[in-house]
Amino acid sequence: MSHPLDLAYNWRTPILVSTVGLFACATLLVSQRAAGWVAVLAVLVVCWLVLLAVVWSRTRAYLEVDGAWATVRRFRTKHRVAGTDVAAVRRLRTLTGPGYRLTLADGTRRTVTTSLLRDGGPTLLRWLVRYAPQATRDPATEAAIDRLRSQGLLDSGHA
């Protein structure tokens, strides 16, 4: 039975630190009641909400490999992808590290943010080599696969 990959970072610490900081600043602002304190407090709350949204969106990264099927999610919906349906793979640069865009035979695209998942890149690339050998790969993806092979993390016998 397969399991989804774990997140590669600790999301609890930034949430805890920012919440404590927000409450400390809010307490100071309310107790001092300096001119414009309400506007400053509103800006702090908006910044905190933006941080929460960013952290939440990062926790939505999902990859589960189960034989010839991979289940992926970027933000909301999970999508089950068969290896035989993958037509092309392209490596993406994201703010958090590498990710991959899978283009399916019907033209739909699925983005996998592997940098947010523990062992995400190697897991996806091993799955692609084994179950989607027909997929065209960009040079960056080929280089990542070659790196895995040179590190002994991928059998040389696979295509």
Side-chain angles (χ1 to χ4, degrees), residues 114-135:
T114 54
S115 61
L116 297 174
L117 299 166
R118 187 166 291 133
D119 201 33
T123 299
L124 179 67
L125 293 173
R126 280 192 294 265
W127 179 80
L128 287 169
V129 166
R130 184 163 185 190
Y131 295 106
Q134 77 288 351

Side-chain angles (χ1 to χ4, degrees), residues 11-65:
W11 58 268
R12 292 172 185 90
T13 301
I15 296 298
L16 177 67
V17 170
S18 65
T19 303
V20 168
L22 175 67
F23 280 107
C25 290
T27 302
L28 184 64
L29 286 169
V30 171
S31 68
Q32 297 297 317
R33 295 195 190 260
W37 71 274
V38 174
V40 173
L41 183 59
V43 169
L44 286 174
V45 169
V46 168
C47 290
W48 180 72
L49 290 173
V50 168
L51 175 73
L52 289 181
V54 168
V55 171
W56 176 82
S57 71
R58 288 181 176 183
T59 63
R60 306 302 294 163
Y62 184 91
L63 174 62
E64 181 178 359
V65 173

Side-chain angles (χ1 to χ4, degrees), residues 66-139:
D66 187 15
W69 291 89
T71 305
V72 299
R73 174 181 64 203
R74 181 144 185 224
F75 295 118
R76 294 182 316 188
T77 309
K78 289 181 184 175
H79 302 281
R80 211 162 137 82
V81 176
T84 56
D85 291 341
V86 179
V89 181
R90 193 176 114 221
R91 187 173 184 189
L92 303 173
R93 290 185 188 185
T94 66
L95 293 174
T96 58
Y100 294 89
R101 174 161 295 139
L102 309 178
T103 303
L104 306 182
D106 64 2
T108 59
R109 294 178 179 173
R110 303 289 179 235
T111 302
V112 185
T113 51
T114 54
S115 61
L116 297 174
L117 299 166
R118 187 166 291 133
D119 201 33
T123 299
L124 179 67
L125 293 173
R126 280 192 294 265
W127 179 80
L128 287 169
V129 166
R130 184 163 185 190
Y131 295 106
Q134 77 288 351
T136 57
R137 304 174 190 138
D138 69 327

